[in-house]
Amino acid sequence: MRDPSKRVIVALDNMSYAEAIAMAQLLQAEVAGVKIGLERLYAEGVSATMDSLACLPGPEMVPVFADFKPYDIANTVSKAMKNLARLGPQIINVPCLGGRKMLMAARKAVDDVWENDRYNFGLTRKPLLVGVTILTSLGFEDLREIGLITTEGYAAVEGITPEIAQAKTVRNLVVKLALLAKSCGLDGAVAGAHEALSIHAACGSSFKIITPGIRLAGAAADDQVRIATPSEAIAAGADYLVIGRPITEAKDPLATLQLINQQVAEALAQQQEGVARYARKS
């Protein structure tokens, strides 16, 4: 069994196919999984990448987060999700903005594969199906521009700065989408660290939160907007952290990942200590 204390999913993006497989092999003992996204889909394809990951030396296949966000009519998404689920990823995502019909079609497709096809395709674990809420590369102004946020006049709210009000508005939208995902039977959501605590409060602790937009303290944000450090994300309630360039572009990717794992372990220990302290007081 993979160490449950490992919470980092390393994004194998922004590199060649050979580099991605080599990176997975280098980091496999220290990760919760690896993420393959559109770069791999549009280049070598999902099946080839999954086959290569399955052939890495080690006691078990590295868990894969298939980050493809299929967005289409319900029937098309259903068929795509069945094909993807049969390849055996541990996590699959689908955009919440596709609406209830699409989300429920994705849920049914994954369930059907697990119930009817898992022995034929050698599946050993039912994949988590998670809903993508709002990309962490989008901020308040981006969401207002595309019409997902329309309220204005935050500066007029007494005692609340425009920045705080805007962050709250984005958080409310993310939580609303996470609740939609939960009502459609999904297992969790992809969301920023700043929304994680509110999502757990609304959806329960068993609803998994996968958080991208993770950056080390002092590092460049790149194309991310709603960012957090690994410790901040864990403290906020994130279950898994998706981290790409801060690890894969580091001079020593393994040492960087081990440092992040140490920060995650410390944050988890503080979290557990807080829970125990609360239990003693109550």
Side-chain angles (χ1 to χ4, degrees):
M1 294 290 291
R2 190 160 291 271
D3 184 351
S5 69
K6 297 292 189 290
R7 302 297 183 93
V8 176
I9 298 173
V10 175
L12 301 180
D13 305 322
N14 200 34
M15 62 182 72
S16 71
Y17 175 75
E19 289 169 339
I21 299 304
M23 185 66 67
Q25 182 172 357
L26 173 67
L27 304 177
Q28 63 178 322
E30 297 289 335
V31 297
V34 295
K35 180 179 83 71
I36 56 175
L38 296 179
E39 293 92 337
R40 299 277 69 78
L41 176 65
Y42 294 155
E44 296 81 17
V46 186
S47 182
T49 304
M50 295 286 289
D51 288 346
S52 295
L53 290 172
C55 292
L56 292 179
E60 59 178 336
M61 179 179 174
V62 180
V64 172
F65 173 16
D67 177 28
F68 302 124
K69 309 178 187 72
Y71 184 87
D72 212 308
I73 63 172
N75 183 59
T76 298
V77 169
S78 174
K79 293 177 180 178
M81 296 300 275
K82 283 188 177 182
N83 289 334
L84 183 55
R86 288 169 180 147
L87 295 176
Q90 182 175 330
I91 305 172
I92 305 173
N93 62 10
V94 61
C96 293
L97 290 175
R100 181 173 296 276
K101 290 181 181 178
M102 195 189 80
L103 293 176
M104 294 189 72
R107 174 75 277 170
K108 185 177 185 305
V110 173
D111 290 344
D112 284 348
V113 168
W114 181 250
E115 292 169 8
N116 301 314
D117 294 341
R118 68 178 183 268
Y119 299 114
N120 293 334
F121 290 89
L123 306 180
T124 59
R125 180 171 179 176
K126 186 176 182 178
L128 293 175
L129 177 61
V130 298
V132 180
T133 56
I134 297 296
L135 300 178
T136 49
S137 58
L138 298 177
F140 176 85
E141 292 299 334
D142 302 302
L143 297 171
R144 184 163 66 176
E145 183 178 29
I146 60 180
L148 290 177
I149 289 175
T150 58
T151 307
E152 297 182 16
Y154 296 95
V157 179
E158 184 177 356
I160 300 179
T161 66
E163 293 76 15
I164 292 175
Q166 290 172 9
K168 182 177 180 180
T169 302
V170 173
R171 184 168 63 248
N172 289 344
L173 174 60
V174 170
V175 172
K176 183 176 182 179
L177 291 171
L179 283 167
L180 173 63
K182 184 181 181 183
S183 73
C184 294
L186 273 64
D187 303 302
V190 178
H194 300 290
E195 297 93 40
L197 192 62
S198 296
I199 291 174
H200 272 317
C203 299
S205 59
S206 63
F207 192 74
K208 300 299 182 184
I209 300 176
I210 299 173
T211 300
I214 303 298
R215 292 293 182 267
L216 297 177
D222 297 314
D223 52 1
Q224 298 288 354
V225 174
R226 305 192 329 274
I227 63 174
T229 67
S231 298
E232 289 170 342
I234 291 296
D239 294 290
Y240 295 103
L241 312 180
V242 177
I243 309 177
R245 286 166 287 186
I247 293 173
T248 60
E249 294 183 359
K251 291 182 179 180
D252 189 335
L254 180 58
T256 301
L257 175 56
Q258 290 170 334
L259 173 63
I260 293 172
N261 281 342
Q262 181 180 347
Q263 295 173 357
V264 167
E266 291 170 355
L268 286 171
Q270 291 176 1
Q271 192 180 76
Q272 293 168 358
E273 181 181 341
V275 171
R277 190 182 306 116
Y278 177 81
R280 288 194 297 268
K281 287 182 178 180
S282 60

